Amino acid sequence: MMNKTVVLGVTGGIAAYKACEIASRLVKSGIEVNVIMTRSAQEFVRPLVFQSLTNRPVATDMFKEPVTWDIEHISLAKKADLFLIAPATANIIGKIAAGIADDMLSTTVMATKAPVVIAPAMNTAMYNNVIVQRNIQTLSDLGYHFISPAEGRLACGDTGIGKLADVDIIVEKVLELLDQQPQDYKGKKVVVTAGPTREALDPVRYISNHSSGKMGYSLAEAAVKRGAEVILISGPTHIKPPCGCQTIFVTTTEEMYQEVIKHYENADVLIKAAAPSDYTPEFVSDHKIKKNKEGLTIKLKLNKDILKELGRLKKKQILVGFAAETDNELEYGKKKLEEKNLDMICINNVAQENVGFGYDTNKITLVKKTGEEKSLPLMSKKELANMILDEIKDLLMEQDHI
Ligand code: PMT
């Protein structure tokens, strides 16, 4: 959330003290928070509290010379990535709906092009008043975001709807809107594989590798955020699957193959970030193999190469593979691109520090079947996932134009 600015408008209600917690939580998320307080809000909380929490001057008066010019109303309106009004009284909602701009807060909201989130808090009867409800409807229709108040015992002693929504809900909504990605994958079906596979030797032992699933999960999460319908086919991992996608868990390479094939035909994009085991024991013991003084020899047979099979079956899908190498990575990676009939390959040298298995970061070279090559610097897997999706989007667009 670095480099994001939220303008927080605080209006006069007892819930103004909760805006301090909101400001503090947003600041802790790395967001610059500029607070504007109405005159009534200052009756409940002193501007100094917000100034201390945000480390920024607090705007309170249109006509008072600002401490710095970047908090003058037009500057704040332009600076805002998001405008939050919490708590919002019936008065400020009415003013915005009617187009009245007569103080620092209402003029700044009117001048902003940023998304505006309004969290009302007021007495139940006021909230249910048809005029307030009409104003909320008018603003919702114009694209303003509302966070409904909660029900409970209000400061005036009444019980009902009107309490400021939970601070967690408000902060989450702000972070969600700030993190919003372009919906450029809407209507696209993306299948991602992630993690290792396990090949049993006996009921208690298996062959596997160090894949954590982080790379594949980051790709699935990024694709969901960009509007895709995502199917994540995952080997055993310890990380939480991203929200908003269908996750299918598998154990062996054969199981991964079966699931991938099932979902391949209707996919627009298939990304194979998983590290499936190339080999499986020729013989799986049905009881625990006993220790043997002479050692143990296990004969392995080759598993299916899932990606190669997908390359053979490919019709309209954009097929993207990874290559995990420890030396000569470009040469070996390019060979895989060709042999497996891929549209693009992401080559990582997993012998390098902070690259590949288990890390939160990765460093890859992208090579497309056209020969186009791009070496990306070391970055977080989450960031990298979006860069890979940007490249795949170009491939999808090229395909649409053919
Ligand atoms: O999971 P993380 O800890 O985040 O680590 C990320 C990663 C290192 C696993 C990832 O960046 C990566 O490199 N994934 C591919 C790992 C791999 O199996 O590479 P490979 O060069 O052996 O295989 C080439 C391609 O064939 C891969 O897309 C792989 O998914 C696929 N493959 C491999 C074997 C097999 N039997 N079937 C396959 O489809």
Side-chain angles (χ1 to χ4, degrees):
M1 288 299 161
M2 289 299 174
N3 306 323
K4 297 280 184 191
T5 298
V6 167
V7 175
L8 170 61
V10 184
T11 65
I14 181 63
Y17 80 93
K18 291 189 185 165
C20 301
E21 169 76 8
I22 297 171
S24 163
R25 295 267 297 274
L26 295 178
V27 169
K28 281 182 190 149
S29 302
I31 295 165
E32 180 187 301
V33 179
N34 289 278
V35 176
I36 303 176
M37 298 182 79
T38 61
R39 193 171 301 161
S40 317
Q42 294 166 58
E43 298 289 334
F44 291 91
V45 181
R46 292 188 61 197
L48 185 62
V49 178
F50 286 105
Q51 192 180 311
S52 309
L53 289 169
T54 61
N55 227 351
R56 298 277 306 150
V58 173
T60 51
D61 192 331
M62 275 287 282
F63 302 105
K64 211 157 82 184
E65 196 151 304
V67 186
T68 55
W69 282 105
D70 67 338
I71 64 152
E72 179 268 333
H73 75 288
I74 296 295
S75 313
L76 279 182
K78 281 188 184 157
K79 239 179 134 184
D81 292 299
L82 185 139
F83 212 113
L84 169 68
I85 306 178
T89 55
N91 187 48
I92 188 71
I93 295 169
K95 281 209 269 189
I96 303 171
I100 295 170
D102 64 350
D103 64 3
M104 184 69 183
L105 181 56
S106 49
T107 46
T108 316
V109 185
M110 190 167 283
T112 196
K113 288 190 176 138
V116 180
V117 180
I118 299 176
M122 63 195 80
N123 163 275
T124 306
M126 283 174 81
Y127 184 72
N128 287 332
N129 183 294
V130 286
I131 302 170
V132 173
Q133 286 304 315
R134 185 199 59 196
N135 289 339
I136 291 176
Q137 192 57 53
T138 304
L139 291 175
S140 299
D141 292 346
L142 291 170
Y144 288 73
H145 303 266
F146 276 86
I147 303 177
S148 298
E151 286 194 30
R153 193 174 178 282
L154 306 176
C156 56
D158 286 356
T159 301
I161 192 162
K163 262 166 75 105
L164 183 71
D166 202 77
V167 168
D168 281 345
I169 296 174
I170 297 174
V171 171
E172 211 170 287
K173 179 78 183 172
V174 169
L175 297 182
E176 184 194 309
L177 285 170
L178 283 176
D179 195 24
Q180 211 166 62
Q181 302 276 350
Q183 297 296 287
D184 51 357
Y185 271 79
K186 219 175 179 78
K188 297 289 177 205
K189 189 164 177 179
V190 177
V191 179
V192 181
T193 71
T197 59
R198 287 179 185 171
E199 308 295 328
L201 292 167
D202 67 14
V204 297
R205 303 183 181 95
Y206 55 80
I207 300 170
S208 190
N209 58 62
H210 295 296
S211 171
S212 62
K214 287 177 186 170
M215 190 66 248
Y217 279 42
S218 299
L219 282 158
E221 185 179 356
V224 167
K225 284 192 175 159
R226 290 168 72 155
E229 180 194 339
V230 180
I231 296 178
L232 172 63
I233 300 170
S234 172
T237 71
H238 296 290
I239 55 175
K240 214 174 128 215
C243 294
C245 68
Q246 184 191 348
T247 308
I248 299 165
F249 288 102
V250 296
T251 304
T252 63
T253 298
E254 178 60 30
E255 285 170 19
M256 185 173 277
Y257 170 79
Q258 295 298 340
E259 287 300 333
V260 169
I261 289 293
K262 230 187 264 176
H263 297 282
Y264 188 44
E265 196 175 336
N266 296 324
D268 296 292
V269 177
L270 197 137
I271 312 174
K272 276 222 87 249
S277 182
D278 285 322
Y279 294 96
T280 193
E282 209 168 73
F283 171 75
V284 184
S285 172
D286 59 5
H287 57 270
K288 186 180 168 193
I289 301 168
K290 285 289 164 205
K291 247 196 285 187
N292 183 342
K293 273 194 199 131
E294 280 129 45
L296 177 68
T297 305
I298 297 163
K299 191 144 187 236
L300 302 175
K301 60 177 182 186
L302 259 183
N303 262 329
K304 283 190 186 110
D305 186 327
I306 308 170
L307 195 54
K308 198 164 181 181
E309 183 60 9
L310 297 177
R312 200 181 62 76
L313 298 173
K314 185 152 75 103
K315 290 189 181 120
K316 56 166 186 48
Q317 301 91 339
I318 299 293
L319 187 57
V320 178
F322 273 71
E325 308 293 346
T326 54
D327 56 297
N328 292 331
E329 64 268 24
L330 279 183
E331 183 192 330
Y332 294 147
K334 284 176 186 173
K335 211 162 153 208
K336 284 178 182 167
L337 171 82
E338 201 182 311
E339 281 176 1
K340 303 191 186 203
N341 188 24
L342 309 180
D343 296 286
M344 187 170 86
I345 192 150
C346 311
I347 305 168
N348 38 199
N349 183 333
V350 292
Q352 289 175 359
E353 187 78 357
N354 296 318
V355 175
F357 294 103
Y359 295 110
D360 289 332
T361 50
N362 206 0
K363 182 174 183 295
I364 62 164
T365 299
L366 292 168
V367 184
K368 291 186 182 160
K369 71 171 176 204
T370 51
E372 194 189 328
E373 203 173 302
K374 209 178 251 184
S375 277
L376 301 174
L378 184 74
M379 64 180 85
S380 74
K381 283 180 178 167
K382 285 183 188 291
E383 229 178 309
L384 179 59
N386 271 308
M387 300 199 88
I388 294 172
L389 289 182
D390 287 346
E391 297 296 328
I392 297 175
K393 195 182 70 189
D394 289 348
L395 293 171
L396 281 165
M397 279 164 68
E398 280 163 26
Q399 191 185 58
D400 285 348
H401 290 135
I402 289 169

